[in-house]
Amino acid sequence: MGTTITGGTHTAMRTEDTGGSGHDLRHHGDAEVRDEGAALTDLAVNVRADTPPPWLREEIAASLSSLAAYPDGRAARAAVAARHGLPVERVLLTAGAAEAFVLLARALKVRRPVVVHPQFTEPEAALRDAGHTVDRVLLRAEDGFRLDPAAVPEDADLVVIGNPTNPTSVLHPAGALARLARPGRVLVVDEAFMDAVPGEREALAGRTDVPGLVVLRSLTKTWGLAGLRIGYVLACAEIIADLERAQPLWPVSTPALAAAEACVRSRALAEAGHAAHRGAADRAHLVAGLAEFASRGVRVVQPAEGPFVLVRMPGAAAVRRRLRELGYAVRRGDTFPGLGEEWVRVAVRDRGTVNGFLKALSAALG
């Protein structure tokens, strides 16, 4: 059962954990392109196409000569700290952002965790696996999935939210997120896709004035390193120490450390910035193309700010199956709490790929 929480001009639904509430929290976009889906054009996985770039592959390959030694993360940790203007004590390198969710769930002593949905489902899955009872704040399509800080229960001592949020592609104002901070509360902001936002506007990474703030970053999305597993946590030194104690020894491999160090250099940051602008233009092209199907019931959540868009369409499950027959994979939306079978998530790709997809979608819509 849920209770409606109203604040300001927005309304959100708060629900208690009911063992997943019918949502497959472990389903992710890669499931759409495994096995028989491997030959499909991939619009299901939110990893930038044509990555990693050659220079990054060379950096990773060069690290292989050091595999006989145990990983030493000091240089990479210092590089990440410098990138965000923080002391190294406020940085923890992880085997992807997903490991960070597990560490948070296991290491932090919290009584009432709240996850703001729809969003990436691993945070809630990790919390539940660690024995926590999880409350959900469900943002509504009618409100454009925008956050109202008043919808979050005042006594929540752990709040998790994405920015920009997967799968809605909503970019919440940094000020609204900062208003969620409270004494005695840990505020976890998943910024795995923030480097795909031009200028990283609304980012909280590097902020030290927000109490209890924990920011998660991933290097797998922009740089195509999902198979290497590299990300990091930014937080106060006390939280970092707690998380580090929960980590196994040498959790990040030498090749992943080399990638982390390379991806925060000025050259890489400039390239990521250019890619973010190209991605924004490609996203606008995708959104404009989808708007052509408005008379057939297709709606896009706007404004979209991430490298993907959330789309509502009638008979989405059947449309998704027909798209597969036509050679395209998109991400089902019904595994995200707060969404149903009428939703799909579509990754932003180059214009040629998008044009082919739009042609297929026209046929799939029947």
Side-chain angles (χ1 to χ4, degrees), residues 10 123 230:
H10 294 68
I230 180 63

Side-chain angles (χ1 to χ4, degrees), residues 43-46 167 286 290 306-311 313 323 329-331 344-349 354 357 361:
L43 285 83
V45 177
N46 291 327
L286 171 60
L290 290 169
F308 47 85
V309 296
L310 183 62
V311 185
M313 62 180 71
L323 281 170
V330 297
R331 169 61 156 96
V344 297
R345 189 191 69 196
V346 182
V348 173
R349 297 290 186 249
V354 166
F357 163 70
L361 179 60

Side-chain angles (χ1 to χ4, degrees), residues 54-73:
W55 63 264
L56 182 53
R57 291 200 299 269
E58 292 170 5
E59 292 265 6
I60 294 168
S63 74
L64 299 181
S65 62
S66 303
L67 291 186
Y70 285 95
D72 183 348

Side-chain angles (χ1 to χ4, degrees), residues 162-166 168-172 190-197 305-308:
N163 203 38
T165 303
N166 170 22
T168 64
S169 207
V170 168
L171 183 66
H172 301 291
D190 177 8
E191 291 188 352
F193 295 99
M194 186 59 78
D195 58 356
V197 177
E305 301 286 358
F308 47 85

Side-chain angles (χ1 to χ4, degrees), residues 4-18:
T4 302
I5 310 297
T6 304
T9 60
H10 294 68
T11 303
M13 182 69 73
R14 188 177 79 205
T15 65
E16 292 187 356
D17 173 32
T18 57

Side-chain angles (χ1 to χ4, degrees), residues 96-335:
E99 187 205 6
F101 292 124
V102 173
L103 295 176
L104 288 163
R106 293 178 178 176
L108 299 185
K109 309 302 181 187
V110 295
R111 300 178 311 280
R112 190 176 187 188
V114 169
V115 180
V116 180
H117 286 288
Q119 78 148 3
F120 185 50
T121 52
E122 280 300 318
E124 178 172 330
L127 285 162
R128 292 176 58 226
D129 287 347
H132 296 283
T133 297
V134 181
D135 279 359
R136 296 171 176 170
V137 170
L138 303 181
L139 306 184
R140 305 192 315 164
E142 300 93 311
D143 302 322
F145 297 109
R146 311 302 296 185
L147 171 70
D148 175 14
V152 175
E154 191 66 29
D155 62 345
D157 55 357
L158 173 67
V159 177
V160 185
I161 187 169
N163 203 38
T165 303
N166 170 22
T168 64
S169 207
V170 168
L171 183 66
H172 301 291
L177 296 181
R179 287 199 295 276
L180 291 174
R182 301 281 189 282
R185 171 185 289 178
V186 176
L187 170 62
V188 178
V189 181
D190 177 8
E191 291 188 352
F193 295 99
M194 186 59 78
D195 58 356
V197 177
E200 296 194 5
R201 66 187 190 281
E202 312 303 344
L204 290 175
R207 293 273 297 269
T208 59
D209 60 324
V210 180
L213 175 65
V214 176
V215 174
L216 308 185
R217 286 288 183 110
S218 170
L219 296 173
T220 64
K221 317 300 183 184
T222 287
W223 298 111
L225 298 174
L228 195 62
R229 311 308 306 140
I230 180 63
Y232 54 88
V233 182
L234 308 175
C236 68
E238 292 77 13
I239 290 177
I240 293 296
D242 287 341
L243 301 182
E244 192 167 18
R245 280 191 292 271
Q247 271 188 318
L249 291 173
W250 310 292
V252 181
S253 70
T254 295
L257 292 171
E261 193 171 353
C263 289
V264 296
R265 292 181 187 138
S266 57
R267 169 189 173 176
L269 296 178
E271 183 173 324
H274 291 310
H277 284 284
R278 287 197 307 272
D282 290 339
R283 182 181 60 242
H285 179 68
L286 171 60
V287 170
L290 290 169
E292 296 296 319
F293 301 111
S295 62
R296 298 158 83 172
V298 174
R299 298 289 185 272
V300 181
V301 175
Q302 295 193 66
E305 301 286 358
F308 47 85
V309 296
L310 183 62
V311 185
R312 191 176 204 168
M313 62 180 71
V319 172
R320 190 167 53 82
R321 288 192 294 270
R322 289 194 287 268
L323 281 170
R324 294 181 71 85
E325 295 170 359
L326 295 168
Y328 291 86
V330 297
R331 169 61 156 96
R332 60 189 284 197
D334 62 317
T335 63

